Amino acid sequence: MIFYHSGCGNSKYVAEALNKDLQETIVFIPDADRNGEFSYTLADDERVGFVFPVYAWGPPKLVQDFVDKLHFNKKPEYVYFIVTCGDNVGYTQNIFYKALKKVGLDLHAAFCVRMPNTYILMPGMKLDTKEVAQKKLEETAQKMPKIIEAIQNRQSVFNMIPGGIPFIKTYLIRPGFNKNASDKGYHTTDACISCGKCVEVCPLKNITLENGKPAWHGHCVTCMACYQYCPTNAIQYGKITLGKGQYYFNKDMN
């Protein structure tokens, strides 16, 4: 069984690539959470995996909250997770390990893959160049078969990229990120064509069209899907996103 969360498509790609070989039940965490689906029946010897992006050097709060409510009919013998990140992951492994322990689950393997950056709401943060993004995608495509093989063989592998000053990033900066994650800064420019793409791609179903314009309803995790997928780049976040470009998985970056 594979549980995953994705906003701009990087983690969805990893989850689907994984499941192409493993052929297991795949669950989109935002949908399951919204529908109150927290209890699952595992087949004999079934693996349990989690795939999600790193948010501010830790698991998304949505994912942690979901794990807090998870219940299985039996304890899985092999549990792993794969995270996607732009550059590094801080102490994501420590936090997720504790989240699993809290509900009686062990952690047997953890992997991370670098994917093109999507989060640009902090000063100095920007999207990767086309060349850097392409290099990350190629490296991940090469890395996935090895990850899949390790999972198939139930190997105990821990392959994280904590980066510099991981304690400060995860335990000092991340709490502020979670506290301040908000959709209050989003707005649309005159370029909005009322297409509803933002409504379609929001994983939390947090956006509706009102008088032809998107309205956000306070349940945002700042995944930036609405901004990145907008076909006219009409969605902005204050002034911090102006001129920063867009990226989502498989977007033509020419």
Side-chain angles (χ1 to χ4, degrees):
M1 188 167 288
I2 301 169
F3 299 91
Y4 82 97
H5 169 53
S6 185
C8 298
N10 285 337
S11 293
K12 180 180 180 182
Y13 157 73
V14 171
E16 291 181 344
L18 185 66
N19 198 46
K20 185 177 180 180
D21 282 279
L22 299 185
Q23 291 294 300
E24 296 177 344
T25 301
I26 189 166
V27 177
F28 187 44
I29 290 175
D31 284 350
D33 185 73
R34 185 166 46 252
N35 296 328
E37 297 169 353
F38 305 112
S39 295
Y40 295 88
T41 300
L42 298 177
D44 291 342
D45 211 27
E46 185 173 356
R47 295 171 291 246
V48 170
F50 300 86
V51 181
F52 53 86
V54 169
Y55 285 1
W57 304 284
K61 187 175 184 300
L62 169 73
V63 174
Q64 273 191 261
D65 290 346
F66 179 77
V67 170
D68 282 345
K69 303 169 190 174
L70 262 183
H71 174 75
F72 297 107
N73 63 313
K74 62 178 70 176
K75 185 175 180 178
E77 295 182 5
Y78 187 79
V79 180
Y80 64 92
F81 74 84
I82 306 174
V83 293
T84 58
C85 67
D87 295 295
N88 51 70
V89 303
Y91 284 150
T92 296
Q93 180 179 317
N94 296 19
I95 292 176
F96 202 64
Y97 168 81
K98 291 178 181 178
L100 293 173
K101 275 294 184 185
K102 186 177 177 182
V103 293
L105 299 178
D106 297 323
L107 178 63
H108 302 92
F111 310 87
C112 70
V113 293
R114 285 192 173 113
M115 295 288 280
N117 287 325
T118 61
Y119 187 79
I120 54 175
L121 296 187
M122 286 185 181
M125 287 189 169
K126 57 185 179 180
L127 298 182
D128 293 320
T129 65
K130 178 184 177 182
E131 292 73 23
V132 170
Q134 188 61 40
K135 182 179 179 181
K136 287 181 177 179
L137 291 170
E138 290 172 357
E139 288 176 350
T140 293
Q142 293 171 1
K143 193 173 183 179
M144 282 304 299
K146 297 178 182 178
I147 292 175
I148 292 169
E149 182 180 4
I151 292 170
Q152 287 175 325
N153 293 329
R154 299 175 183 251
Q155 295 175 1
S156 181
V157 179
F158 294 89
N159 182 8
M160 294 284 103
I161 308 171
I165 57 171
F167 181 91
I168 291 175
K169 289 176 178 176
T170 297
Y171 294 111
L172 298 183
I173 298 177
R174 179 173 175 267
F177 170 88
N178 285 335
K179 181 180 179 180
N180 296 312
S182 168
D183 54 25
K184 291 181 180 179
Y186 283 115
H187 63 93
T188 54
T189 69
D190 292 340
C192 177
I193 57 174
S194 305
C195 67
K197 185 66 175 180
C198 52
V199 177
E200 174 190 339
V201 300
C202 177
L204 272 70
K205 306 302 180 188
N206 181 52
I207 305 173
T208 58
L209 287 187
E210 297 184 3
N211 298 318
K213 303 297 180 183
W216 290 262
H217 297 286
H219 303 292
C220 182
V221 293
T222 59
C223 74
M224 301 211 65
C226 58
Y227 166 85
Q228 303 290 8
Y229 280 97
C230 178
T232 60
N233 202 196
I235 293 175
Q236 299 293 329
Y237 194 92
K239 295 182 179 180
I240 200 167
T241 53
L242 291 174
K244 286 191 173 182
Q246 295 170 286
Y247 164 85
Y248 55 83
F249 186 76
N250 264 349
K251 176 180 171 61
D252 183 356
M253 299 180 71
N254 290 324

